[in-house]
Amino acid sequence: MARIFHRTTSSIDDLTNTVRFNEANGPEQSEMRSAHLPAEWFPQSGVQLTWPHAGTDWAYILDEVQKCYVRMTMEIAQRERLLIVTPHPEQVEALLKEKLPQHIISNISLHQMPTNDTWARDHGFITLIGDEEPTLLDFQFNGWGKKFEATLDNEICRHMDEQGILNGQYLSHLDFVLEGGSIESDGCGTIMTTSECLMASNRNQPLSQAEIEQRLLSYLHAQRVLWLDHGYLAGDDTDSHIDTLARFCSSKSIAYVQCLDKEDEHYEALHQMEEQLKTFRTMDDEPYQLIPLPMAPKRFDEDGMRLPSTYANFLIVNDAVLMPTYGDTYLDAKATQQLQKAFPKHDIVGIDCQVLIQQHGSLHCCTMQFPVGVIAPARSE
């Protein structure tokens, strides 16, 4: 019987594959340099999921959301290692062994620790590479400006370090609030973020925008910050995370949510966002190639409030882009077509995320990737 190891490994084949992957999605990444935040398309050693359980806000739809997590598990673990954080590893292991083939199971590791919720993008490590070993940055996660209890989730990175799950130097920045979904990196020194999120109350106030920018440049070893001042999604608890609105697809291209319906409540803000994106310049002082993504279909909660469905919340993994879908054949296909333009050498894999947006997040929000060299070798048993 295949074992679900408690630690994971990356192989020489992983490193070989990274060169091909690199060349397909940003040749500039192939040249290693000093510590920096790699782009998401940089070769990965694995991805983290933090599993939903009965003690989370998913309790009322737990079976449904676990089906979505099993699907994400399948698509990720057939391409790279998957780390699952959960307070109930035996239960999750039993579920996965029931649903998934043996070769997928062998690429998964389970790590026991208490959790409040499941949004690994925002409580997970932000990883720098380029030095002798990766640097694992642990920022404060305070439930998106103290909207939700997050004490346990804020301790996940520290627990992972104590358990020796990852390779890299642990570095605490717990005096600064920063969520992974609030920043995008092109891997070449540019960070893109939104002023609505990073300047929100109950995060890092009373720091000024200039002071926050200086910390981003210092902590992430970046050269510049592009501040997006417009754009929002109704029902979004994150104060306009960048990963719901606009995403780097290479150092020269950005995919973004476009609203063409002037009657839609989002039209004005997203139109202003689009106009601002047109003013952004690459590091070579060229305009970005802008790839519009359609507005996702309108979805509502049981009280009739609009949910923040967005096609921008995709996850890039080795050789594929996992894209959230929302049960609309036409719009899902249109979004797939647009992302294929952005990632011509990747498979675009749709995953139904209608259940995820019921808790106001989507696919990218649930995951955190680790670049090559971060996941520790498996221990023999």
Side-chain angles (χ1 to χ4, degrees), residues 100-170:
L100 298 177
Q102 182 174 338
H103 72 280
I104 297 296
I105 295 297
S106 64
N107 219 23
I108 300 168
S109 65
L110 294 167
H111 306 280
Q112 185 172 13
M113 57 195 75
T115 63
N116 296 112
D117 213 327
T118 56
W119 307 110
R121 178 63 46 181
D122 297 335
H123 62 239
F125 278 117
I126 294 174
T127 308
L128 305 184
I129 60 171
D131 283 336
E132 292 184 358
E133 62 177 345
T135 304
L136 305 170
L137 304 183
D138 185 7
F139 291 96
Q140 182 185 157
F141 174 57
N142 72 348
W144 309 287
K146 301 181 180 179
K147 297 183 183 74
F148 304 95
E149 173 57 37
T151 302
L152 298 176
D153 290 346
N154 190 46
E155 296 174 347
I156 287 175
C157 288
R158 181 171 55 81
H159 289 317
M160 294 180 75
D161 180 63
E162 291 171 350
Q163 294 181 25
I165 294 168
L166 303 173
N167 288 322
Q169 178 184 2
Y170 176 90

Side-chain angles (χ1 to χ4, degrees), residues 37 71 115 122 200 213 233 236 250 255 313 321 374:
L37 180 62
R71 177 70 198 286
T115 63
D122 297 335
E213 177 168 321
L233 295 176
D236 176 22
S250 74
N313 209 242
V321 175
V374 173

Side-chain angles (χ1 to χ4, degrees), residues 1-9 77 81-82 84 89-90 92-94 96-97 100-111 378-381:
M1 179 180 295
R3 298 296 303 275
I4 300 185
F5 295 108
H6 294 281
R7 299 181 70 177
T8 54
T9 185
R81 298 290 181 179
L82 177 65
I84 294 177
E90 297 84 2
V92 177
E93 179 175 0
L96 295 179
K97 285 185 174 180
L100 298 177
Q102 182 174 338
H103 72 280
I104 297 296
I105 295 297
S106 64
N107 219 23
I108 300 168
S109 65
L110 294 167
H111 306 280
R379 70 182 180 198
S380 56
E381 307 251 342

